[in-house]
Amino acid sequence: MRHFSTNPNLMKVSVIGSAGKVGQALSLMLKQSPLIDELCVHDVKPTSGFATELEHIDTHCKVTAYTGKDMVENALQDSKVVVILAAGDETDVLPFDRMWSVNANIVKEVVSLIVKNCPRAFLVIGTNPINSLVPMACEVLKKIWLL
């Protein structure tokens, strides 16, 4: 059975940072899940070709591509699960402090948009340094919700 956007049981998953190595592999696995009705792939790099390739996999999951910083909110709208894999360019080779400063700003920005567009979404963070970004995201959520 195909679910449409008017159905409250629609399982929409958004992968923010899907054009990277981990994002592409994860999106491929999510596309094959029978539990997901819509998969939104977003990155600042083009994702339409990747989304088209995913659409060729014969499952009931619909794939939607979003590209650019201004399209994050559209990708997040009504998502039940949000996976943040977004990171700055070449941050995997930077020292810890520089990696933190770049990626923390990205995660903070996305987390604040999650509160605005899908406040009940389950949040998954896979951006390095994970052991520092998860507590930071938690504090951002507390600060926004207590306002």
Side-chain angles (χ1 to χ4, degrees), residues 5-123:
S5 61
T6 56
N7 187 333
N9 296 322
L10 177 73
M11 178 52 107
K12 179 179 175 182
V13 177
S14 296
V15 180
I16 309 300
S18 61
K21 298 172 201 168
V22 176
Q24 287 183 357
L26 179 65
S27 297
L28 175 62
M29 288 187 267
L30 291 172
K31 168 63 171 152
Q32 297 175 46
S33 173
L35 304 174
I36 299 173
D37 299 302
E38 183 177 358
L39 176 64
C40 293
V41 292
H42 175 274
D43 208 309
V44 292
K45 301 172 190 165
T47 56
S48 58
F50 176 57
T52 303
E53 289 175 352
L54 288 176
E55 269 296 317
H56 288 297
I57 299 170
D58 189 21
T59 65
H60 79 279
C61 178
K62 174 186 151 195
V63 180
T64 312
Y66 296 95
T67 302
K69 288 184 179 183
D70 56 332
M71 297 300 284
V72 178
E73 291 190 67
N74 294 346
L76 293 173
Q77 195 67 45
D78 300 323
S79 289
K80 298 257 175 38
V81 177
V82 178
V83 181
I84 303 175
L85 299 171
D89 289 334
E90 304 296 325
T91 53
D92 52 340
V93 297
L94 293 177
F96 179 82
D97 56 336
R98 289 186 56 212
M99 178 192 307
W100 160 259
S101 61
V102 173
N103 290 346
N105 289 330
I106 295 169
V107 171
K108 181 180 176 185
E109 203 174 299
V110 174
V111 167
S112 62
L113 291 173
I114 289 170
V115 171
K116 181 180 175 186
N117 294 286
C118 51
R120 299 186 57 118
F122 186 82
L123 176 58

